[in-house]
Amino acid sequence: ALHRSTRDNLDTYWRAQLEAMEHHPREASLPQAAEWGALGTPRLVHLLATGVPTSKSGAGRWALDAYPHHREIVEEALRVRERPDDPSTYAAEPDRRRRHLVALMREVIADGVALPWPSTGRVSAS
């Protein structure tokens, strides 16, 4: 039941959030949006992939390994959550932050929805 509801949450709630980001690009460009989406979606996929719940920070560290090609946005999300006074690599380019966030979330959601149960503990390197 947990696996099914987690997959459903990725497939419905989080997909709808991606669509909303298209209609509200300013809000989606904010640092808080990066923290929310770049840690929230991997947190659910971590649960599906490992069977073990984790914190948002734990999910971010897991995502650094699972999605190394999205390192900058994951590091930004961890920065916002854990070190908000540190400088952002996106400070001058918030729209780039939004584009990177959307790309990560799109991939993470697709991976989570596609994971078999029980999972092998791996996600694709799309």
Side-chain angles (χ1 to χ4, degrees), residues 87-102:
S88 171
T89 60
Y90 294 99
E93 301 174 279
D95 191 56
R96 185 170 67 90
R97 177 175 27 232
R98 180 190 58 80
R99 289 191 313 271
H100 287 182
L101 174 60
V102 167

Side-chain angles (χ1 to χ4, degrees), residues 46-124:
H46 175 276
L47 175 62
L48 293 172
T50 68
V52 178
T54 190
S55 65
K56 285 188 175 183
S57 292
R61 286 187 275 284
W62 176 82
L64 290 172
D65 289 331
Y67 300 94
H69 50 290
H70 291 292
R71 177 175 272 305
E72 186 178 13
I73 191 63
V74 174
E75 286 179 345
E76 172 73 349
L78 287 167
R79 179 200 67 79
V80 173
R81 182 165 187 81
E82 298 173 349
R83 303 171 316 281
D85 294 331
D86 285 2
S88 171
T89 60
Y90 294 99
E93 301 174 279
D95 191 56
R96 185 170 67 90
R97 177 175 27 232
R98 180 190 58 80
R99 289 191 313 271
H100 287 182
L101 174 60
V102 167
L104 169 68
M105 288 176 62
R106 192 170 280 133
E107 184 175 344
V108 170
I109 291 166
D111 285 349
V113 170
L115 276 173
W117 186 258
S119 174
T120 61
R122 301 172 144 212
V123 294
S124 71

Side-chain angles (χ1 to χ4, degrees), residues 5-69:
S5 66
T6 301
R7 283 184 63 191
D8 288 349
N9 185 263
L10 283 166
D11 203 25
T12 58
Y13 173 79
W14 285 102
R15 280 194 202 275
Q17 296 309 306
L18 280 174
E19 185 177 316
M21 288 179 178
E22 297 297 323
H23 299 292
H24 305 284
R26 183 169 176 255
E27 290 84 355
S29 299
L30 296 172
Q32 295 80 4
E35 177 191 14
W36 170 74
L39 301 179
T41 54
R43 186 176 186 198
L44 296 176
V45 176
H46 175 276
L47 175 62
L48 293 172
T50 68
V52 178
T54 190
S55 65
K56 285 188 175 183
S57 292
R61 286 187 275 284
W62 176 82
L64 290 172
D65 289 331
Y67 300 94
H69 50 290

